[in-house]
Amino acid sequence: ELGSIMASYYMSLIGILRWIRELEPVDICIEVSMMPSHTALSREGHLGQILNILSFLRSHHNAEMVFDPSDPIIDKMKFEKRDWASSEFGHVDDEEELPPNEPEPRGLGFTMSAKVDADHASDRTTRRSRTGFLVYLNCALVYWYTKKQLRVE
């Protein structure tokens, strides 16, 4: 178990990592979100993991996220066809009514897609699951989020 001075140092490093995570790096998102769960009883191994994350960031300080503007290739055959006739939108057979004064489209269109994943009870102590998602504009990652569930159901 860490002493009070090292535990305080551990918590300040977590705060720094959370601030860094808000700025950009998607590659440390899960790791940083897992470390605060050990603040109550942090050990030397936990501090070592934080120092490993900081070391990773130091060695990849010039890393860039590349935004790929190309259109994604989506195989529509992989998606199961559904009958939406019984839903509240099942009666809509026409195209969307557009206002007469809408501006002319400019440039190329875009595709927005999302990928969602969740694990089941991955935290061995609390048995809580973690959910995350990625949002893409064409092939460029524009938003990401991960969160541990609040309670076990």
Side-chain angles (χ1 to χ4, degrees):
E1 185 176 337
L2 294 176
S4 61
I5 293 173
M6 291 306 283
S8 176
Y9 179 61
Y10 175 80
M11 287 187 260
S12 68
L13 289 177
I14 287 176
I16 290 169
L17 282 174
R18 289 179 121 176
W19 180 76
I20 290 172
R21 187 192 69 187
E22 291 298 321
L23 292 178
E24 179 111 9
V26 69
D27 45 1
I28 64 166
C29 193
I30 298 255
E31 291 81 359
V32 171
S33 69
M34 291 172 72
M35 295 312 295
S37 64
H38 304 289
T39 55
L41 190 60
S42 49
R43 300 187 182 275
E44 288 183 19
H46 300 128
L47 180 60
Q49 289 304 316
I50 286 188
L51 295 176
N52 284 340
I53 294 170
L54 291 170
S55 175
F56 171 81
L57 290 173
R58 184 176 183 188
S59 64
H60 292 85
H61 70 282
N62 284 332
E64 299 174 347
M65 286 187 67
V66 178
F67 289 95
D68 183 0
S70 64
D71 289 326
I73 300 168
I74 299 172
D75 183 7
K76 299 202 180 207
M77 298 302 292
K78 290 185 177 181
F79 295 96
E80 182 180 338
K81 292 283 186 186
R82 298 280 185 156
D83 180 19
W84 295 99
S86 62
S87 77
E88 64 181 278
F89 301 109
H91 64 280
V92 180
D93 292 329
D94 300 327
E95 288 191 25
E96 179 182 3
E97 186 177 321
L98 300 174
N101 61 346
E102 79 169 330
E104 286 292 318
R106 303 176 102 192
L108 304 173
F110 61 89
T111 302
M112 183 167 271
S113 60
K115 295 181 181 185
V116 179
D117 194 14
D119 59 9
H120 179 70
S122 65
D123 189 333
R124 293 181 183 176
T125 307
T126 62
R127 304 305 294 166
R128 292 186 191 168
S129 301
R130 184 173 300 278
T131 304
F133 65 86
L134 306 168
V135 178
Y136 291 87
L137 183 62
N138 286 348
C139 289
L141 180 64
V142 293
Y143 189 75
W144 56 89
Y145 185 75
T146 181
K147 182 176 182 179
K148 187 191 289 188
Q149 72 179 21
L150 298 177
R151 61 185 180 272
V152 178
E153 294 182 15

